[in-house]
Tab-separated table of all heavy atoms in Angstrom:
chain	number	residue	atom	x	y	z
A	1	MET	N	-54.862	-57.276	50.522
A	1	MET	CA	-53.759	-57.644	51.388
A	1	MET	C	-53.156	-58.971	50.926
A	1	MET	O	-53.871	-59.926	50.659
A	1	MET	CB	-54.251	-57.761	52.846
A	1	MET	CG	-53.155	-58.204	53.799
A	1	MET	SD	-53.709	-58.533	55.504
A	1	MET	CE	-54.346	-56.946	55.985
A	2	ALA	N	-51.848	-58.998	50.842
A	2	ALA	CA	-51.177	-60.217	50.417
A	2	ALA	C	-51.244	-61.268	51.517
A	2	ALA	O	-51.258	-60.941	52.702
A	2	ALA	CB	-49.731	-59.912	50.071
A	3	GLU	N	-51.277	-62.504	51.096
A	3	GLU	CA	-51.296	-63.606	52.045
A	3	GLU	C	-49.955	-63.696	52.769
A	3	GLU	O	-48.900	-63.466	52.176
A	3	GLU	CB	-51.558	-64.904	51.293
A	3	GLU	CG	-51.612	-66.120	52.186
A	3	GLU	CD	-51.965	-67.376	51.408
A	3	GLU	OE1	-52.567	-67.271	50.337
A	3	GLU	OE2	-51.628	-68.462	51.894
A	4	THR	N	-50.009	-64.012	54.039
A	4	THR	CA	-48.796	-64.257	54.806
A	4	THR	C	-48.478	-65.745	54.734
A	4	THR	O	-49.363	-66.574	54.909
A	4	THR	CB	-48.993	-63.828	56.268
A	4	THR	OG1	-49.299	-62.445	56.301
A	4	THR	CG2	-47.736	-64.091	57.084
A	5	THR	N	-47.228	-66.051	54.460
A	5	THR	CA	-46.832	-67.451	54.394
A	5	THR	C	-45.715	-67.727	55.392
A	5	THR	O	-44.898	-66.855	55.680
A	5	THR	CB	-46.336	-67.848	52.995
A	5	THR	OG1	-45.208	-67.057	52.656
A	5	THR	CG2	-47.430	-67.677	51.958
A	6	ILE	N	-45.717	-68.929	55.909
A	6	ILE	CA	-44.643	-69.412	56.770
A	6	ILE	C	-44.080	-70.660	56.096
A	6	ILE	O	-44.778	-71.664	55.949
A	6	ILE	CB	-45.148	-69.762	58.190
A	6	ILE	CG1	-45.805	-68.546	58.825
A	6	ILE	CG2	-43.992	-70.271	59.045
A	6	ILE	CD1	-46.492	-68.837	60.154
A	7	THR	N	-42.842	-70.558	55.671
A	7	THR	CA	-42.193	-71.669	54.986
A	7	THR	C	-41.260	-72.383	55.958
A	7	THR	O	-40.408	-71.743	56.591
A	7	THR	CB	-41.371	-71.156	53.784
A	7	THR	OG1	-42.235	-70.428	52.916
A	7	THR	CG2	-40.716	-72.303	53.033
A	8	VAL	N	-41.421	-73.690	56.066
A	8	VAL	CA	-40.559	-74.489	56.924
A	8	VAL	C	-39.347	-74.896	56.088
A	8	VAL	O	-39.441	-75.759	55.218
A	8	VAL	CB	-41.294	-75.741	57.458
A	8	VAL	CG1	-40.399	-76.515	58.405
A	8	VAL	CG2	-42.598	-75.344	58.141
A	9	ARG	N	-38.220	-74.251	56.324
A	9	ARG	CA	-37.015	-74.560	55.548
A	9	ARG	C	-36.434	-75.894	55.995
A	9	ARG	O	-36.372	-76.181	57.188
A	9	ARG	CB	-35.943	-73.475	55.750
A	9	ARG	CG	-36.329	-72.099	55.273
A	9	ARG	CD	-35.828	-71.749	53.886
A	9	ARG	NE	-34.511	-72.205	53.557
A	9	ARG	CZ	-33.393	-71.481	53.600
A	9	ARG	NH1	-33.437	-70.234	54.002
A	9	ARG	NH2	-32.245	-71.997	53.233
A	10	ASP	N	-36.003	-76.683	55.040
A	10	ASP	CA	-35.334	-77.935	55.379
A	10	ASP	C	-34.119	-77.638	56.246
A	10	ASP	O	-33.263	-76.819	55.886
A	10	ASP	CB	-34.880	-78.671	54.111
A	10	ASP	CG	-36.028	-79.341	53.381
A	10	ASP	OD1	-37.160	-79.342	53.903
A	10	ASP	OD2	-35.773	-79.865	52.276
A	11	ASN	N	-34.053	-78.286	57.406
A	11	ASN	CA	-32.906	-78.183	58.318
A	11	ASN	C	-32.596	-76.751	58.744
A	11	ASN	O	-31.439	-76.410	59.009
A	11	ASN	CB	-31.661	-78.809	57.676
A	11	ASN	CG	-31.950	-80.187	57.135
A	11	ASN	OD1	-32.599	-80.987	57.797
A	11	ASN	ND2	-31.504	-80.457	55.925
A	12	GLY	N	-33.632	-75.905	58.764
A	12	GLY	CA	-33.407	-74.502	59.100
A	12	GLY	C	-34.631	-73.835	59.682
A	12	GLY	O	-35.509	-74.508	60.232
A	13	PRO	N	-34.692	-72.522	59.568
A	13	PRO	CA	-35.727	-71.736	60.256
A	13	PRO	C	-37.082	-71.746	59.552
A	13	PRO	O	-37.225	-72.292	58.453
A	13	PRO	CB	-35.132	-70.330	60.219
A	13	PRO	CG	-34.363	-70.301	58.938
A	13	PRO	CD	-33.752	-71.681	58.823
A	14	TYR	N	-38.034	-71.114	60.221
A	14	TYR	CA	-39.307	-70.763	59.596
A	14	TYR	C	-39.101	-69.420	58.917
A	14	TYR	O	-38.659	-68.460	59.561
A	14	TYR	CB	-40.416	-70.598	60.637
A	14	TYR	CG	-40.751	-71.819	61.441
A	14	TYR	CD1	-40.420	-71.887	62.791
A	14	TYR	CD2	-41.429	-72.892	60.872
A	14	TYR	CE1	-40.740	-73.010	63.547
A	14	TYR	CE2	-41.751	-74.015	61.621
A	14	TYR	CZ	-41.410	-74.062	62.950
A	14	TYR	OH	-41.724	-75.162	63.697
A	15	ILE	N	-39.431	-69.306	57.638
A	15	ILE	CA	-39.347	-68.037	56.926
A	15	ILE	C	-40.759	-67.471	56.846
A	15	ILE	O	-41.655	-68.111	56.283
A	15	ILE	CB	-38.782	-68.219	55.503
A	15	ILE	CG1	-37.422	-68.917	55.548
A	15	ILE	CG2	-38.696	-66.863	54.799
A	15	ILE	CD1	-36.347	-68.156	56.272
A	16	VAL	N	-40.958	-66.286	57.414
A	16	VAL	CA	-42.280	-65.651	57.423
A	16	VAL	C	-42.243	-64.470	56.461
A	16	VAL	O	-41.364	-63.609	56.563
A	16	VAL	CB	-42.661	-65.162	58.837
A	16	VAL	CG1	-44.095	-64.635	58.846
A	16	VAL	CG2	-42.493	-66.274	59.860
A	17	ARG	N	-43.199	-64.468	55.516
A	17	ARG	CA	-43.284	-63.395	54.524
A	17	ARG	C	-44.708	-62.871	54.479
A	17	ARG	O	-45.655	-63.658	54.549
A	17	ARG	CB	-42.953	-63.903	53.114
A	17	ARG	CG	-41.533	-64.276	52.884
A	17	ARG	CD	-41.312	-64.628	51.401
A	17	ARG	NE	-39.919	-64.843	51.115
A	17	ARG	CZ	-39.293	-66.001	51.286
A	17	ARG	NH1	-39.955	-67.045	51.726
A	17	ARG	NH2	-38.014	-66.106	51.013
A	18	GLY	N	-44.846	-61.571	54.319
A	18	GLY	CA	-46.175	-60.986	54.158
A	18	GLY	C	-46.443	-59.925	55.207
A	18	GLY	O	-45.532	-59.271	55.682
A	19	GLU	N	-47.719	-59.798	55.550
A	19	GLU	CA	-48.151	-58.831	56.559
A	19	GLU	C	-48.208	-59.537	57.902
A	19	GLU	O	-49.020	-60.443	58.102
A	19	GLU	CB	-49.535	-58.290	56.203
A	19	GLU	CG	-49.544	-57.316	55.054
A	19	GLU	CD	-49.120	-55.929	55.501
A	19	GLU	OE1	-49.419	-55.546	56.648
A	19	GLU	OE2	-48.480	-55.241	54.682
A	20	PHE	N	-47.336	-59.155	58.822
A	20	PHE	CA	-47.328	-59.782	60.144
A	20	PHE	C	-46.545	-58.895	61.098
A	20	PHE	O	-45.810	-57.991	60.674
A	20	PHE	CB	-46.687	-61.184	60.105
A	20	PHE	CG	-45.239	-61.133	59.705
A	20	PHE	CD1	-44.247	-60.955	60.640
A	20	PHE	CD2	-44.887	-61.249	58.370
A	20	PHE	CE1	-42.913	-60.888	60.265
A	20	PHE	CE2	-43.561	-61.180	57.983
A	20	PHE	CZ	-42.574	-60.998	58.924
A	21	THR	N	-46.713	-59.150	62.364
A	21	THR	CA	-45.911	-58.511	63.402
A	21	THR	C	-45.466	-59.590	64.368
A	21	THR	O	-46.281	-60.384	64.832
A	21	THR	CB	-46.741	-57.459	64.173
A	21	THR	OG1	-47.242	-56.496	63.243
A	21	THR	CG2	-45.887	-56.751	65.226
A	22	VAL	N	-44.176	-59.650	64.658
A	22	VAL	CA	-43.661	-60.569	65.668
A	22	VAL	C	-43.655	-59.805	66.982
A	22	VAL	O	-43.063	-58.725	67.076
A	22	VAL	CB	-42.246	-61.058	65.327
A	22	VAL	CG1	-41.734	-62.019	66.407
A	22	VAL	CG2	-42.227	-61.742	63.955
A	23	VAL	N	-44.329	-60.365	68.000
A	23	VAL	CA	-44.406	-59.719	69.306
A	23	VAL	C	-43.832	-60.649	70.369
A	23	VAL	O	-43.829	-61.871	70.210
A	23	VAL	CB	-45.858	-59.322	69.671
A	23	VAL	CG1	-46.407	-58.343	68.658
A	23	VAL	CG2	-46.748	-60.536	69.792
A	24	ASP	N	-43.348	-60.038	71.469
A	24	ASP	CA	-42.834	-60.853	72.570
A	24	ASP	C	-43.990	-61.303	73.468
A	24	ASP	O	-45.164	-61.033	73.169
A	24	ASP	CB	-41.745	-60.095	73.344
A	24	ASP	CG	-42.268	-58.875	74.086
A	24	ASP	OD1	-43.499	-58.736	74.274
A	24	ASP	OD2	-41.432	-58.050	74.492
A	25	ALA	N	-43.671	-61.961	74.564
A	25	ALA	CA	-44.702	-62.511	75.453
A	25	ALA	C	-45.557	-61.433	76.103
A	25	ALA	O	-46.641	-61.716	76.620
A	25	ALA	CB	-44.052	-63.384	76.518
A	26	GLU	N	-45.051	-60.184	76.082
A	26	GLU	CA	-45.818	-59.074	76.644
A	26	GLU	C	-46.567	-58.297	75.582
A	26	GLU	O	-47.162	-57.259	75.855
A	26	GLU	CB	-44.865	-58.143	77.409
A	26	GLU	CG	-44.208	-58.833	78.589
A	26	GLU	CD	-43.169	-57.968	79.269
A	26	GLU	OE1	-42.733	-56.954	78.679
A	26	GLU	OE2	-42.791	-58.322	80.398
A	27	GLY	N	-46.491	-58.775	74.339
A	27	GLY	CA	-47.184	-58.116	73.244
A	27	GLY	C	-46.416	-56.979	72.605
A	27	GLY	O	-46.949	-56.273	71.749
A	28	LYS	N	-45.173	-56.792	73.020
A	28	LYS	CA	-44.357	-55.721	72.446
A	28	LYS	C	-43.773	-56.178	71.119
A	28	LYS	O	-43.209	-57.277	71.031
A	28	LYS	CB	-43.226	-55.334	73.393
A	28	LYS	CG	-43.698	-54.756	74.697
A	28	LYS	CD	-42.523	-54.459	75.604
A	28	LYS	CE	-42.998	-54.000	76.980
A	28	LYS	NZ	-41.883	-53.928	77.939
A	29	PRO	N	-43.869	-55.336	70.089
A	29	PRO	CA	-43.410	-55.751	68.764
A	29	PRO	C	-41.890	-55.672	68.612
A	29	PRO	O	-41.251	-54.749	69.106
A	29	PRO	CB	-44.094	-54.746	67.834
A	29	PRO	CG	-44.282	-53.529	68.666
A	29	PRO	CD	-44.512	-54.017	70.068
A	30	PHE	N	-41.361	-56.675	67.921
A	30	PHE	CA	-39.981	-56.596	67.463
A	30	PHE	C	-39.977	-55.685	66.235
A	30	PHE	O	-41.029	-55.315	65.709
A	30	PHE	CB	-39.467	-57.990	67.087
A	30	PHE	CG	-39.251	-58.893	68.272
A	30	PHE	CD1	-40.260	-59.740	68.712
A	30	PHE	CD2	-38.042	-58.898	68.942
A	30	PHE	CE1	-40.062	-60.576	69.803
A	30	PHE	CE2	-37.829	-59.728	70.037
A	30	PHE	CZ	-38.852	-60.557	70.471
A	31	GLU	N	-38.787	-55.328	65.775
A	31	GLU	CA	-38.653	-54.471	64.597
A	31	GLU	C	-39.462	-55.052	63.436
A	31	GLU	O	-39.380	-56.247	63.153
A	31	GLU	CB	-37.184	-54.361	64.195
A	31	GLU	CG	-36.950	-53.468	62.990
A	31	GLU	CD	-35.479	-53.434	62.598
A	31	GLU	OE1	-34.635	-53.963	63.354
A	31	GLU	OE2	-35.175	-52.892	61.530
A	32	LYS	N	-40.221	-54.201	62.776
A	32	LYS	CA	-41.095	-54.623	61.680
A	32	LYS	C	-40.265	-54.897	60.423
A	32	LYS	O	-39.432	-54.083	60.029
A	32	LYS	CB	-42.113	-53.516	61.403
A	32	LYS	CG	-43.164	-53.897	60.403
A	32	LYS	CD	-44.401	-54.384	61.088
A	32	LYS	CE	-45.512	-54.583	60.067
A	32	LYS	NZ	-46.140	-55.882	60.244
A	33	LYS	N	-40.493	-56.056	59.833
A	33	LYS	CA	-39.826	-56.426	58.591
A	33	LYS	C	-40.822	-57.145	57.692
A	33	LYS	O	-41.832	-57.650	58.160
A	33	LYS	CB	-38.632	-57.344	58.870
A	33	LYS	CG	-37.541	-56.676	59.693
A	33	LYS	CD	-36.364	-57.599	59.874
A	33	LYS	CE	-35.280	-56.878	60.671
A	33	LYS	NZ	-34.112	-57.718	60.887
A	34	ASP	N	-40.495	-57.221	56.401
A	34	ASP	CA	-41.357	-57.930	55.453
A	34	ASP	C	-41.086	-59.426	55.451
A	34	ASP	O	-41.953	-60.223	55.093
A	34	ASP	CB	-41.153	-57.388	54.034
A	34	ASP	CG	-41.613	-55.943	53.913
A	34	ASP	OD1	-42.524	-55.540	54.661
A	34	ASP	OD2	-41.066	-55.224	53.061
A	35	VAL	N	-39.860	-59.790	55.826
A	35	VAL	CA	-39.458	-61.195	55.860
A	35	VAL	C	-38.612	-61.408	57.108
A	35	VAL	O	-37.715	-60.609	57.383
A	35	VAL	CB	-38.622	-61.583	54.617
A	35	VAL	CG1	-38.196	-63.046	54.697
A	35	VAL	CG2	-39.380	-61.315	53.334
A	36	VAL	N	-38.913	-62.466	57.857
A	36	VAL	CA	-38.056	-62.827	58.991
A	36	VAL	C	-37.821	-64.330	58.976
A	36	VAL	O	-38.613	-65.102	58.432
A	36	VAL	CB	-38.656	-62.429	60.365
A	36	VAL	CG1	-38.822	-60.933	60.493
A	36	VAL	CG2	-39.939	-63.160	60.657
A	37	ALA	N	-36.716	-64.729	59.596
A	37	ALA	CA	-36.404	-66.142	59.792
A	37	ALA	C	-36.489	-66.413	61.276
A	37	ALA	O	-35.730	-65.844	62.070
A	37	ALA	CB	-35.008	-66.454	59.261
A	38	LEU	N	-37.435	-67.250	61.669
A	38	LEU	CA	-37.625	-67.590	63.077
A	38	LEU	C	-36.922	-68.904	63.382
A	38	LEU	O	-37.077	-69.895	62.646
A	38	LEU	CB	-39.117	-67.717	63.404
A	38	LEU	CG	-39.937	-66.438	63.234
A	38	LEU	CD1	-41.416	-66.735	63.510
A	38	LEU	CD2	-39.445	-65.342	64.160
A	39	CYS	N	-36.165	-68.908	64.469
A	39	CYS	CA	-35.389	-70.090	64.848
A	39	CYS	C	-36.316	-71.269	65.120
A	39	CYS	O	-37.304	-71.157	65.825
A	39	CYS	CB	-34.542	-69.795	66.080
A	39	CYS	SG	-33.564	-71.209	66.636
A	40	ARG	N	-35.952	-72.391	64.550
A	40	ARG	CA	-36.700	-73.634	64.742
A	40	ARG	C	-35.852	-74.659	65.484
A	40	ARG	O	-36.365	-75.682	65.937
A	40	ARG	CB	-37.139	-74.161	63.366
A	40	ARG	CG	-38.102	-75.317	63.371
A	40	ARG	CD	-38.775	-75.462	62.033
A	40	ARG	NE	-37.916	-75.936	60.986
A	40	ARG	CZ	-37.820	-77.200	60.575
A	40	ARG	NH1	-38.550	-78.119	61.152
A	40	ARG	NH2	-37.020	-77.539	59.585
A	41	CYS	N	-34.554	-74.411	65.586
A	41	CYS	CA	-33.658	-75.416	66.160
A	41	CYS	C	-33.431	-75.215	67.657
A	41	CYS	O	-32.976	-76.127	68.345
A	41	CYS	CB	-32.321	-75.393	65.436
A	41	CYS	SG	-31.262	-73.977	65.840
A	42	GLY	N	-33.660	-73.994	68.161
A	42	GLY	CA	-33.460	-73.703	69.575
A	42	GLY	C	-32.054	-73.260	69.932
A	42	GLY	O	-31.769	-73.002	71.089
A	43	HIS	N	-31.149	-73.153	68.967
A	43	HIS	CA	-29.751	-72.817	69.257
A	43	HIS	C	-29.381	-71.373	68.954
A	43	HIS	O	-28.247	-70.960	69.223
A	43	HIS	CB	-28.820	-73.747	68.486
A	43	HIS	CG	-28.915	-75.174	68.925
A	43	HIS	ND1	-28.413	-75.627	70.122
A	43	HIS	CD2	-29.495	-76.253	68.337
A	43	HIS	CE1	-28.653	-76.919	70.254
A	43	HIS	NE2	-29.321	-77.321	69.184
A	44	SER	N	-30.263	-70.588	68.400
A	44	SER	CA	-29.935	-69.207	68.048
A	44	SER	C	-29.627	-68.365	69.286
A	44	SER	O	-30.289	-68.495	70.317
A	44	SER	CB	-31.105	-68.568	67.290
A	44	SER	OG	-30.825	-67.206	67.032
A	45	ALA	N	-28.648	-67.491	69.159
A	45	ALA	CA	-28.345	-66.536	70.223
A	45	ALA	C	-29.198	-65.289	70.083
A	45	ALA	O	-29.132	-64.400	70.942
A	45	ALA	CB	-26.860	-66.158	70.179
A	46	THR	N	-29.991	-65.211	69.026
A	46	THR	CA	-30.823	-64.032	68.781
A	46	THR	C	-32.295	-64.419	68.687
A	46	THR	O	-33.048	-63.850	67.906
A	46	THR	CB	-30.386	-63.305	67.489
A	46	THR	OG1	-30.528	-64.211	66.383
A	46	THR	CG2	-28.961	-62.809	67.585
A	47	LYS	N	-32.702	-65.423	69.498
A	47	LYS	CA	-34.113	-65.840	69.490
A	47	LYS	C	-35.033	-64.642	69.682
A	47	LYS	O	-34.683	-63.743	70.443
A	47	LYS	CB	-34.377	-66.861	70.602
A	47	LYS	CG	-33.658	-68.176	70.409
A	47	LYS	CD	-34.003	-69.094	71.556
A	47	LYS	CE	-33.150	-70.320	71.608
A	47	LYS	NZ	-31.828	-70.082	72.203
A	48	PRO	N	-36.143	-64.618	69.021
A	48	PRO	CA	-36.734	-65.726	68.285
A	48	PRO	C	-36.219	-65.838	66.845
A	48	PRO	O	-36.750	-66.652	66.070
A	48	PRO	CB	-38.226	-65.377	68.286
A	48	PRO	CG	-38.235	-63.885	68.211
A	48	PRO	CD	-37.049	-63.456	69.053
A	49	PHE	N	-35.216	-65.064	66.490
A	49	PHE	CA	-34.756	-65.054	65.103
A	49	PHE	C	-33.586	-66.018	64.902
A	49	PHE	O	-32.789	-66.257	65.813
A	49	PHE	CB	-34.369	-63.623	64.703
A	49	PHE	CG	-35.493	-62.660	64.907
A	49	PHE	CD1	-35.488	-61.785	65.985
A	49	PHE	CD2	-36.592	-62.666	64.067
A	49	PHE	CE1	-36.539	-60.916	66.204
A	49	PHE	CE2	-37.661	-61.798	64.276
A	49	PHE	CZ	-37.639	-60.919	65.357
A	50	CYS	N	-33.484	-66.512	63.714
A	50	CYS	CA	-32.404	-67.420	63.322
A	50	CYS	C	-31.112	-66.625	63.160
A	50	CYS	O	-31.125	-65.535	62.588
A	50	CYS	CB	-32.788	-68.088	61.997
A	50	CYS	SG	-31.483	-69.065	61.232
A	51	ASP	N	-30.015	-67.186	63.665
A	51	ASP	CA	-28.705	-66.551	63.435
A	51	ASP	C	-27.757	-67.485	62.685
A	51	ASP	O	-26.556	-67.218	62.617
A	51	ASP	CB	-28.085	-66.097	64.759
A	51	ASP	CG	-27.662	-67.258	65.648
A	51	ASP	OD1	-27.930	-68.432	65.292
A	51	ASP	OD2	-27.065	-66.980	66.708
A	52	GLY	N	-28.284	-68.556	62.150
A	52	GLY	CA	-27.477	-69.500	61.386
A	52	GLY	C	-26.900	-70.638	62.224
A	52	GLY	O	-26.240	-71.528	61.681
A	53	ALA	N	-27.135	-70.630	63.520
A	53	ALA	CA	-26.586	-71.662	64.401
A	53	ALA	C	-27.063	-73.061	64.032
A	53	ALA	O	-26.389	-74.049	64.339
A	53	ALA	CB	-26.935	-71.355	65.859
A	54	HIS	N	-28.205	-73.170	63.374
A	54	HIS	CA	-28.721	-74.492	62.988
A	54	HIS	C	-27.715	-75.257	62.133
A	54	HIS	O	-27.622	-76.475	62.225
A	54	HIS	CB	-30.069	-74.362	62.263
A	54	HIS	CG	-30.020	-73.534	61.020
A	54	HIS	ND1	-30.180	-72.164	61.026
A	54	HIS	CD2	-29.787	-73.887	59.743
A	54	HIS	CE1	-30.081	-71.705	59.794
A	54	HIS	NE2	-29.829	-72.728	58.995
A	55	GLN	N	-26.939	-74.527	61.329
A	55	GLN	CA	-25.939	-75.198	60.485
A	55	GLN	C	-24.822	-75.762	61.345
A	55	GLN	O	-24.424	-76.920	61.187
A	55	GLN	CB	-25.378	-74.211	59.457
A	55	GLN	CG	-26.423	-73.774	58.453
A	55	GLN	CD	-25.905	-72.746	57.475
A	55	GLN	OE1	-25.153	-71.849	57.839
A	55	GLN	NE2	-26.302	-72.891	56.227
A	56	ARG	N	-24.303	-74.963	62.257
A	56	ARG	CA	-23.220	-75.399	63.153
A	56	ARG	C	-23.662	-76.584	64.011
A	56	ARG	O	-22.893	-77.509	64.265
A	56	ARG	CB	-22.811	-74.223	64.038
A	56	ARG	CG	-21.674	-74.545	65.019
A	56	ARG	CD	-21.396	-73.398	65.972
A	56	ARG	NE	-22.490	-73.231	66.912
A	56	ARG	CZ	-23.184	-72.103	67.071
A	56	ARG	NH1	-22.893	-71.032	66.359
A	56	ARG	NH2	-24.166	-72.036	67.943
A	57	GLU	N	-24.921	-76.556	64.445
A	57	GLU	CA	-25.438	-77.589	65.344
A	57	GLU	C	-25.921	-78.831	64.615
A	57	GLU	O	-26.283	-79.819	65.250
A	57	GLU	CB	-26.579	-77.013	66.196
A	57	GLU	CG	-26.157	-75.862	67.092
A	57	GLU	CD	-25.176	-76.283	68.175
A	57	GLU	OE1	-25.184	-77.468	68.563
A	57	GLU	OE2	-24.385	-75.433	68.617
A	58	GLY	N	-25.942	-78.784	63.301
A	58	GLY	CA	-26.371	-79.947	62.529
A	58	GLY	C	-27.850	-80.252	62.670
A	58	GLY	O	-28.257	-81.420	62.602
A	59	PHE	N	-28.667	-79.200	62.840
A	59	PHE	CA	-30.116	-79.394	62.977
A	59	PHE	C	-30.664	-80.103	61.749
A	59	PHE	O	-30.337	-79.760	60.611
A	59	PHE	CB	-30.794	-78.034	63.163
A	59	PHE	CG	-32.285	-78.103	63.268
A	59	PHE	CD1	-32.894	-78.712	64.345
A	59	PHE	CD2	-33.092	-77.549	62.285
A	59	PHE	CE1	-34.277	-78.779	64.458
A	59	PHE	CE2	-34.477	-77.589	62.381
A	59	PHE	CZ	-35.059	-78.208	63.476
A	60	SER	N	-31.494	-81.105	61.981
A	60	SER	CA	-32.042	-81.901	60.888
A	60	SER	C	-33.545	-82.058	61.041
A	60	SER	O	-34.015	-82.636	62.022
A	60	SER	CB	-31.378	-83.276	60.861
A	60	SER	OG	-31.936	-84.074	59.841
A	61	SER	N	-34.282	-81.503	60.100
A	61	SER	CA	-35.736	-81.649	60.071
A	61	SER	C	-36.219	-81.164	58.719
A	61	SER	O	-35.922	-80.041	58.321
A	61	SER	CB	-36.385	-80.821	61.180
A	61	SER	OG	-37.805	-80.893	61.081
A	62	ALA	N	-36.917	-82.018	58.011
A	62	ALA	CA	-37.405	-81.663	56.679
A	62	ALA	C	-38.820	-82.206	56.488
A	62	ALA	O	-39.057	-83.079	55.643
A	62	ALA	CB	-36.460	-82.194	55.607
A	63	PRO	N	-39.762	-81.681	57.272
A	63	PRO	CA	-41.130	-82.191	57.167
A	63	PRO	C	-41.791	-81.794	55.852
A	63	PRO	O	-41.447	-80.775	55.250
A	63	PRO	CB	-41.837	-81.523	58.353
A	63	PRO	CG	-41.081	-80.258	58.581
A	63	PRO	CD	-39.649	-80.586	58.239
A	64	ARG	N	-42.729	-82.608	55.417
A	64	ARG	CA	-43.504	-82.323	54.218
A	64	ARG	C	-44.979	-82.305	54.572
A	64	ARG	O	-45.435	-83.139	55.378
A	64	ARG	CB	-43.258	-83.382	53.140
A	64	ARG	CG	-41.840	-83.345	52.562
A	64	ARG	CD	-41.616	-82.038	51.798
A	64	ARG	NE	-40.295	-81.941	51.209
A	64	ARG	CZ	-39.247	-81.358	51.794
A	64	ARG	NH1	-39.357	-80.855	53.015
A	64	ARG	NH2	-38.103	-81.269	51.173
A	65	ALA	N	-45.700	-81.373	53.983
A	65	ALA	CA	-47.137	-81.262	54.242
A	65	ALA	C	-47.834	-82.558	53.849
A	65	ALA	O	-47.467	-83.194	52.850
A	65	ALA	CB	-47.713	-80.095	53.450
A	66	GLY	N	-48.818	-82.948	54.651
A	66	GLY	CA	-49.595	-84.138	54.360
A	66	GLY	C	-48.932	-85.430	54.774
A	66	GLY	O	-49.406	-86.505	54.436
A	67	GLN	N	-47.820	-85.339	55.489
A	67	GLN	CA	-47.115	-86.549	55.903
A	67	GLN	C	-46.972	-86.627	57.421
A	67	GLN	O	-46.004	-87.187	57.910
A	67	GLN	CB	-45.731	-86.621	55.254
A	67	GLN	CG	-45.784	-86.714	53.753
A	67	GLN	CD	-44.399	-86.834	53.134
A	67	GLN	OE1	-43.389	-86.714	53.799
A	67	GLN	NE2	-44.384	-87.072	51.847
A	68	SER	N	-47.916	-86.030	58.150
A	68	SER	CA	-47.786	-86.049	59.614
A	68	SER	C	-48.369	-87.298	60.213
A	68	SER	O	-48.913	-88.132	59.618
A	68	SER	CB	-48.467	-84.839	60.223
A	68	SER	OG	-49.810	-84.768	59.816
B	101	FES	S1	-33.109	-72.320	62.952
B	101	FES	FE1	-31.402	-71.096	62.477
B	101	FES	S2	-30.461	-70.782	64.404
B	101	FES	FE2	-32.158	-72.019	64.850
């Protein structure tokens, strides 16, 4: 099984790749995909997925591992 990775995009969403299922608070699965972009800015109209609103809203966050 391939490793699942979550990439924190600079000023944008979390990109999830690999074997995973996104479920709602009741455990119901969203449509299965190999790659999804999860909203990190809170402005998406299609939460939990990114719809590009982070660009319009000027979301700014570029964390680096090991610098917390
Ligand atoms: S991160 Fe893209 S809309 Fe929120």
Side-chain angles (χ1 to χ4, degrees):
M1 177 186 299
E3 181 176 337
T4 300
T5 60
I6 302 173
T7 303
V8 183
R9 297 263 321 261
D10 285 354
N11 310 316
Y14 298 110
I15 304 297
V16 186
R17 290 186 173 85
E19 286 280 327
F20 63 88
T21 303
V22 180
V23 299
D24 67 16
E26 297 174 345
K28 296 177 186 170
F30 289 92
E31 181 182 351
K32 187 96 172 132
K33 297 183 178 180
D34 294 332
V35 179
V36 297
L38 297 176
C39 179
R40 189 162 71 97
C41 74
H43 294 288
S44 176
T46 60
K47 294 180 191 80
F49 304 104
C50 172
D51 69 355
H54 59 273
Q55 294 177 321
R56 180 186 69 237
E57 298 294 334
F59 178 66
S60 178
S61 176
R64 292 294 181 266
Q67 297 182 352
S68 55

